[in-house]
Amino acid sequence: MLRHYLEVKAEHPDAVLLYRMGDFYEMFFEDAVAAAPILEVTLTARNKGSENEAPMCGVPHHALGAYLAKLVRAGLKVAICDQMEDPAEAKGLVRREVTRVVTPGTLSDPSLLSGKEDNYLAALVWDADDAAGGAFLDVSTGSFLLRRWSGAEEALEDLKLLRPREVLADLETLPANVRGWVESEVVCRTALADDRWTDPRRSARVLADQLRAATVKGWDLEPKEPAVRAAAAALGYARETQQSDLSHLRDVQVGRATDDLALDATTLGNLEVFRNARDGGRRGSLLGVLDLTCSPPGGRMVARWLRRPLRDPEAVDERLGAVERLLGDEPRRERLRDELRSLGDPERLRTRAVLGSLTPREAAALRDGLRTVPRVLAELEGSPSGLLRRLAEVDPLAALCGELERVLVESPPASSKDGGIVREGVSGELDEARSLARDGKRHILALEAREREATGIGSLKVRFNKVFGYYLEVTKANLESVPERYVRKQTLVNAERFITPELKELEERILGAEERQGALEAELFGALVACVAAESEGLGHLTEALATLDVLAAFAEAAARFGYVRPEVGAAGGPLTIEEGRHPVVERLGGDAFVPNDVELDGDSAQIVILTGPNMGGKSTYLRQVALIVLMAQAGSFVPARSARVGVCDRIFTRVGASDDLSRGESTFMVEMIETARILHQATAESLVVLDEVGRGTATFDGLSLAWAIVERLHEVGRPKTLFATHYHELTELAALLPRVVNRTLAVKEWEDQIVFLRRVVPGSADKSYGVHVARLAGIPRPVVERAQEILANLESQEYDLHGKPRLARGGGPASEEQDQLRLFAPPEDVVASILREVDLDRLSPLAALNLLQSLKSRLKD
């Protein structure tokens, strides 16, 4: 037995081998040592104390699911080796074979998966000339994505966005940063060192066959490109582990869809779209607020919509129109949501059917879900919304539902081996076998009664023993009445025993009834699973339609609960105007009443907002809420505002917070500059850029100089709509120099040396950040706070250069030393007068004039 175990293990060296022995799955040697602490079972040994001692542990076969989940969650692959024959009938060693290999990236069992999250297997192929491509395959749903990359950063973006559970790659060929991410973030990794799946001569054929096409060129793919080879690797690996042809996988999505709003992993993280920054959980994220879906497919779809919102205004408006209809009809929305709660997960169940692993209880769940479909679609008929009417046109698969209802009992067991799956009346042969197995004694008594009547022997009895089986016993007094068809088997003192062909036939039927019942039920259920698999494509279309409806109804429910309004979505590059906007997450979690704020951004007079204000005043919240409102609007959701007009964006960029990447040798400031560089290179007039405290990660003058130059660049090149929050008050002078820059500030009120944060964004600029006040609130010693106030006053007195201009705006040569000395001690009135003399009134806009006036007044006050 151990010799066979080692032979099987050699075929699956990177998997934990579960070897079926009777009622247990056993693990030996290094597998047992690794698995025992994970499974929390006792590590023992076979041949204990001898030189052939083999460490071992085991788990009951009936509890395999729970133990399998623990191993997979630990990132391990598991090969399951089952007994292929009855041990009682086996001659010699029981025949065993590996029936499936379970890996984190190829799971299909709903009990091992998160219902509302995708579960991707990724394959990465990187050539020596830096050509690269990747494939992302979710076996459980059939989602199949191909990506082409022109560099490591693009690959990292997709990996961070899709977060695969398992990666297939030749790690040595990957760029250092990609390899570092894979090694640190992906627990399960499989080497692609050989060309078993990635051979350029056959990879295109593998993919084309899967797609039922003659060539991959119809998907704008070249046969030998890395993305195609990665796809072949993912398919080959999944087929091998699942021992299936994956027939539910008939399409592939190549590259990025051009009608999507692009959001990179940095932006999604900064905006806390899927996970909060505190502990990485859903609570405190946008998804945690908006995911009011009722079904697992709906939960997965709402995440996809938030990951890739739309860019086409008409498509966005169609979604919003559907949400509005559902919002306005609360009774219908409630009926729909109640039905969708019973939908289950048809998308993953059809995959289970294709893989041949659908259980009777899962088939019943699919049946119950399909029962709800006609009622759901009936609610959509005649809707004023074109999108809802199109969803109602999907095939409800009534024939499949009918077949499931015809065959399955109402509450089948979890396993097909338990029997009791198929309804009475489906098969006459099964009904007879079931009757014999359940009520054999009744059939024997019926035969006994018939024989008594036929022979006239009232004392005739049918009896059973292990030697003869069933027999007829007649007392010697009645032997003259025994018919010739009786065959004598045994003579006793007072009676004789007989058999008849009819009795022997009944005996065979009774004794084999239970086994025949199991075989017939397995055959009928197998045919039913094949029927489900044949409708795989239809189930995919139906699930997509119902998931779409689920998300639209969830958006309507969120709008009703939280007071959201329908945004007006306009053409790309149009103005962004939000009246009384709110942060969708902060207002749900915050204890105090949320203070709403307005924003106006366009490409003409207010392209860039320089936002100043005190620490703890709410600048970061304001920046994020604007970006989230745009994201929500383009995803098709209503938004938290009194009104909103959104010109669709092609991308949202964010640079907020402080973080480093020690694995790549990048400091906090380096990461900040890399992210800012990406924005400066890629932002267009249709983009929204959110920058928070850029430049604060280095020396003050370095950071201030960079921040000034970055604003100038955004103003002149690309010209994206930009929110730029800063504590560099000097940047507010840009509003007097650049026509599309405006100043906004968070209002505060000072009272008896205390500050009150009003959280209100108003025109103008802050003259201080109140950082010293915040330090005092935090408990910084009083002498430190007082000394900081003295130093702050000294620094602020030299905010302007010796000519009265903002120091950073000066572009000419330096003044003479004598002039510098004279102006250094000039009274504030002289500095203000000097500035006024140099202002070009013909080029000064009214808004810039007001900002300048406020700044000069502040100088006189100081």
Side-chain angles (χ1 to χ4, degrees), residues 36 63 86 123 166 228 269 339 397 407 552 577 587 723 744 771 817:
D86 187 342
E166 183 175 357
V228 171
E339 297 292 352
L397 300 179
V407 174
L552 294 171
T577 305
E587 74 167 347
L723 295 173
R744 298 289 184 267
E817 185 71 21

Side-chain angles (χ1 to χ4, degrees), residues 110 112-118 300 348:
L112 302 179
L113 292 164
S114 172
K116 293 193 172 186
E117 292 183 8
D118 293 306
R300 295 192 293 271
R348 282 181 168 161

Side-chain angles (χ1 to χ4, degrees), residues 129 288 336 393 665:
D129 60 358
L336 284 170
E393 295 170 0

